[in-house]
Structures are given as structure tokens and as C-alpha cells.
Amino acid sequence: MIDAAVEALADNPDAGIDEIADFSGHGRSTVYRHFPSRQAVLEAAVADISAKSNDGYRRIIESHDDIRATLFEIGVHSAETALRHRFVYLSGFEVQQLFTRAAGDDDLPVARFLEDAQRRGEIRRDLPVEWLMLQLAALTIALVGDVESGRIGCSEAPRILGETFSAMVGLRS
Amino acid sequence: MTTARRDAERNRRKVIEAATRLLGRDPSASLLEISQASGVGRTTLYRHFSDRNALVDSVLEEVIDRARERAIAVQADPEDPVHAIRALSEVHLETALLMGPLIQARDGASPVIEATKESEKGPTRVFLAAARRAGTIRTDQPLTWQQTVMRVVILTAVDRVRDGVAIEDAQLLVADTLVSILVPPGS
């Protein structure tokens, strides 16, 4: 059902319960049993996307030897996820929350990675991790906006965010 | 200028000054309060500004014009991008802090602000273009993206200031962030 919701919203950011029902092959009442409202749908879809995206970040971080390459790939991944699911970023959903830790929240692999890297002196220490994560969120959102308005091509966008994030976070050579 | 025109201009100024002050503190300040604070009668106020949005737009125009003058006064030197970025982002951060409440005071998006986003003649864009030509700012990213980055980082800083971070600290965060993104590695 969540997959159907994600598909429906990707197809049309204004998709409602009817469209989700179409994509899922189920009736409206079945959909309502899972999601009492459109907001509930958005939240479930975003949670799902976020979880899968975090898996992607973990894979990137675990396979890293070169810090610059890892930072670049993190930026690329953030861009690709956002562009693939741009309905989230265009729906007015509070996207920031995907990038910041709520009190008691643990799993933001990128934030943990940055904290570790700062401790090891592998990245700059003068900017707090919280600030860096805020920038990643804001830049990703703005990137989607620039692609939507045609200022940046969809194919070069991930590379651009990768370089921007890497330059922002890394040590100056 | 005739006396009548001078008086009209002076009244307009008073209203704009009062509006800037009051709306900056409280975006819901009423036109009555503004007219009282300005010493100009309400009828006169309405002669100059047809409605609240018109007044807010005029205030925004003033803020933006002043910001433009300050940005030009920075004399951003393409050969010294670090200093230029610091100085320009200081102007932008202070301007954005001023504009926040004013934007809230208005009903709907302001055409004044939309116009600045597309502007190609702003001092910051002029600086970025010149510095790119001089090779002191990286050219492997689109100029429009570099403008977006500046805007985004500054707006994030505005949120932080509203959350209680000191302006000077926010300015440092902004400048350090932007320098690392815009200046080519190895410089």
C-alpha cells in the first residue's frame, strides 16, 4: 500500500486516496483502513522513503576509504533521492525533519558519520554537524526547486550537490 | 519642487519610516497604529498607499534599495573573494532579518521580492560573475546554483538567529560555509 502511495504521488503530487486506490488495485475503503487521511499517507510514504534512503547512506559510508569520495556520494544520494521523490519536496511536507534529529532520535547515519569524522579530524571542525545537516537539507530542497524551474538540468544536479556538500564539509586541501 | 510636493514626499517618508519600525517589531501592526506613529493622518496615509500590501511593498522596496547600496559600497573585489563573500553575506543576512517580519506583514507573495530573485544586475551577482572570470571563484558549478547557495545558506542562518544564535556568530557560520563552497580548492 505504501509502495502504491509512493508511486501515485510520484506520478502526481496532488494524488489523493482515489489515485492511491487505483495504483494499489484496492478499493477506497481498503486504503482508508490503512491511511485515515492524506496527511497519514504522506507521512507513511516519507517514512518509507527515508528508511530506504538511510540504507543507501549506510552502504555509502560503510564502503568508504576516501573521505572526499564519501562526502561526494552522500551529496549525490541526497539529490537523487529528492529528485526521485520530488513530490515530497513539493508537497509542503516539513522536509527538514528528515535531516534533523528530534530529541531521542538516533538514526541519522550521515549525522553520525560526520560526528565520527570530526572526532577523527577527517573533516572540518569549525562548523557544527547540526549546521552541516541543516545546509544539506536546505541545499537539497533548493536543488529540487532549481531543477523544477529549469535552472539546473536533472542529470547534472546530483553531481552539483555532491561537489557542494564535499566542498562545504571537507578539509581544505 | 513645490511646497505641496515637498510636503507630500515628507509625509510619504514618515509613513514608510514608521511602517518599517512598527512592522519590523510586529507584523500585525495596524495601519491606524502606523499612521499614529508617523504623525500623518489616516486619510493622508491612504492617499499614498491604497492598502496594506501597497505599504508593505514600498517598505520592502526601500529595504532592498538600501541593501543594494550597501552591497555596492562593499566594493567586492573579485581578486579577494574571501573578504568580498564575508562582507556581502553580512549585508544579505541583515537584510534578510529585516525582511522576515515584513514579509509576514503582507498578504501573499510580494512582487518586489520575486523581482529580486530574477535580477541579473544585483551587486552580488555582478561580483560572482567577475570573480568567476578572474578564476577566484569556481566555475565548475553553474552561476545560478552559486546564487541559490548564497540565498539558502543565508536563510538558514536567519532561522538560527531567530532561534537565539548571535548575529555575529551566524555571520561567521555563513561566511565560512560560503567561502568553502565557492572558492576553488587549493586557493
Side-chain angles (χ1 to χ4, degrees):
Chain A
M1 190 69 62
I2 293 184
D3 288 340
V6 171
E7 256 194 84
L9 288 162
D11 183 59
N12 169 19
D14 293 320
I17 301 284
D18 284 329
E19 283 79 17
I20 294 169
D22 286 343
F23 274 82
S24 73
H26 292 290
R28 279 174 66 95
S29 43
T30 314
V31 178
Y32 269 117
R33 228 176 292 137
H34 291 268
F35 304 118
S37 68
R38 188 164 185 279
Q39 181 63 19
V41 173
L42 275 174
E43 282 171 9
V46 169
D48 187 59
I49 291 165
S50 179
K52 294 200 171 97
S53 169
N54 278 342
D55 286 341
Y57 285 126
R58 270 185 223 103
R59 275 195 298 276
I60 290 168
I61 290 164
E62 273 152 29
S63 63
H64 110 269
D65 8 307
D66 176 46
I67 188 84
R68 288 217 161 257
T70 305
L71 295 173
F72 177 80
E73 290 301 325
I74 287 173
V76 165
H77 184 61
S78 187
E80 284 176 345
T81 306
L83 289 166
R84 195 178 312 128
H85 303 292
R86 58 187 94 168
F87 73 84
V88 173
Y89 294 74
L90 300 175
S91 70
F93 188 84
E94 273 304 309
V95 177
Q96 250 83 346
Q97 15 168 301
L98 296 178
F99 293 85
T100 52
R101 278 188 173 123
D105 216 4
D106 63 346
D107 200 22
L108 282 179
V110 175
R112 252 189 306 122
F113 167 72
L114 292 179
E115 282 160 1
D116 290 342
Q118 275 190 340
R119 265 196 297 273
R120 290 192 297 261
E122 289 178 343
I123 62 171
R124 71 189 305 171
R125 287 174 154 147
D126 57 332
L127 297 179
V129 168
E130 197 193 5
W131 167 265
L132 297 172
M133 292 298 287
L134 276 171
Q135 295 314 319
L136 179 59
L139 290 170
T140 304
I141 294 165
L143 186 77
V144 173
D146 273 6
V147 168
E148 284 285 304
S149 66
R151 277 194 289 267
I152 295 182
C154 194
S155 53
E156 53 163 351
R159 184 258 314 159
I160 288 172
L161 189 58
E163 279 168 7
T164 300
F165 187 65
S166 173
M168 178 176 71
V169 172
L171 293 169
R172 296 295 281 176
S173 41
Chain B
M1 210 191 276
T2 64
T3 314
R5 279 197 67 182
R6 250 206 311 274
D7 287 346
E9 185 49 38
R10 193 173 21 226
N11 285 338
R12 193 174 179 277
R13 294 251 99 254
K14 284 186 189 172
V15 173
I16 291 187
E17 270 160 26
T20 309
R21 248 187 3 256
L22 267 62
L23 293 171
R25 269 201 306 265
D26 173 12
S28 64
S30 68
L31 290 185
L32 174 60
E33 287 164 322
I34 291 169
S35 76
Q36 284 168 346
S38 69
V40 168
R42 234 182 344 161
T43 340
T44 315
L45 189 156
Y46 275 109
R47 221 179 293 140
H48 289 279
F49 306 101
S50 52
D51 60 15
R52 190 184 180 78
N53 278 355
L55 174 54
V56 175
D57 284 345
S58 294
V59 173
L60 284 169
E61 260 169 14
E62 288 273 322
V63 171
I64 287 170
D65 283 346
R66 260 202 305 268
R68 190 163 289 140
E69 280 164 26
R70 286 186 61 201
I72 290 170
V74 159
Q75 295 190 306
D77 179 7
E79 297 298 330
D80 186 358
V82 173
H83 174 259
I85 289 169
R86 273 187 209 292
L88 285 171
S89 53
E90 226 174 84
V91 172
H92 287 304
L93 180 57
E94 285 170 18
T95 307
L97 281 163
L98 272 175
M99 296 213 304
L102 296 174
I103 290 169
Q104 278 177 41
R106 198 195 190 281
D107 193 22
S110 170
V112 172
I113 302 220
E114 297 309 305
T116 62
K117 285 190 187 153
E118 299 301 310
S119 162
E120 299 188 340
K121 290 182 290 222
T124 300
R125 169 143 172 162
V126 167
F127 160 73
L128 284 174
R132 284 165 62 98
R133 274 192 299 272
T136 54
I137 280 196
R138 56 194 301 172
T139 50
D140 55 347
Q141 309 217 309
L143 170 58
T144 53
W145 174 245
Q146 290 174 332
Q147 280 182 284
T148 297
V149 166
M150 283 195 74
R151 191 181 77 240
V152 163
V153 171
I154 284 163
L155 286 177
T156 325
V158 167
D159 284 339
R160 303 283 283 172
V161 171
R162 291 210 216 293
D163 287 341
V165 171
I167 293 193
E168 301 76 31
D169 293 337
Q171 274 166 2
L172 278 174
L173 286 172
V174 169
D176 288 346
T177 304
L178 289 177
V179 165
S180 60
I181 291 174
L182 297 172
V183 176
S187 304

